Amino acid sequence: ERIITSNHGDPGRTIYDWRHYLSVLQRKPGALRNGAPFTELPKGFKDLQLILLKQVGGDREMVQVLALVLQHDEMAVLAAVELALESGAPTKQHVLNILTRLLDPAPLTPTINPSPLQLTIEPQSNMDRYDRLREVRHAA
């Protein structure tokens, strides 16, 4: 969004859109920690970022989550992130799993339980076989 003012006395403003920096961020994930454009991420992304940046390789994982916005609707990715946070498993894999289920829900098919198996011949206990195993055979 462009901001145009006719008053030349106003101080200049810098406006960042974090989405514009995603391609650069994929090459330099460390920019996520202190980059000015990423201070204005939506709350769900910020919460996930706080958790992931405490882990080794968390900055790369967070960049991969943010890069999902390049391929999918931002609101769907944000919803997946928020659901992952609520579930207590805020990882990239979990976000991807939730996003996949949100975008392509599998139709629920009813399961048909098979009838229980019925014995046609009742087993008989035969102790003779056991007794033969117990016999001690001596070599001649």
Side-chain angles (χ1 to χ4, degrees):
E1 179 178 328
R2 289 182 72 180
I3 296 180
I4 300 173
T5 61
S6 59
N7 187 355
H8 296 289
D10 287 342
R13 293 189 300 174
T14 304
I15 298 176
Y16 296 109
D17 185 358
W18 60 271
R19 294 163 205 84
H20 296 169
Y21 297 90
L22 288 177
S23 60
V24 174
L25 191 61
Q26 288 175 328
R27 286 179 296 179
K28 297 191 177 275
L32 184 62
R33 293 183 185 273
N34 298 318
F38 308 109
T39 59
E40 300 175 13
L41 289 172
K43 182 181 179 340
F45 289 138
K46 289 297 276 184
D47 293 344
L48 182 64
Q49 180 183 10
L50 289 174
I51 293 168
L52 291 181
L53 291 183
K54 293 177 186 174
Q55 303 170 6
V56 175
D59 50 355
R60 288 191 185 278
E61 198 167 319
M62 184 62 195
V63 168
Q64 291 170 350
V65 170
L66 288 175
L68 292 172
V69 173
L70 296 172
Q71 301 165 353
H72 305 288
D73 179 47
E74 181 182 335
M75 290 297 118
V77 175
L78 187 56
V81 166
E82 289 170 351
L83 288 171
L85 288 168
E86 287 174 13
S87 72
T91 63
K92 177 191 73 163
Q93 279 305 121
H94 194 64
V95 171
L96 280 171
N97 188 342
I98 293 172
L99 181 62
T100 302
R101 286 187 284 139
L102 286 175
L103 296 177
D104 188 26
L108 296 176
T109 57
T111 57
I112 300 170
N113 293 334
S115 61
L117 297 176
Q118 299 291 323
L119 287 176
T120 55
I121 301 173
E122 284 289 326
Q124 296 177 353
S125 58
N126 185 354
M127 298 306 288
D128 293 335
R129 183 170 174 231
Y130 177 72
D131 288 338
R132 274 183 283 162
L133 291 172
R134 285 188 40 217
E135 289 178 5
V136 178
R137 298 184 188 192
H138 298 286

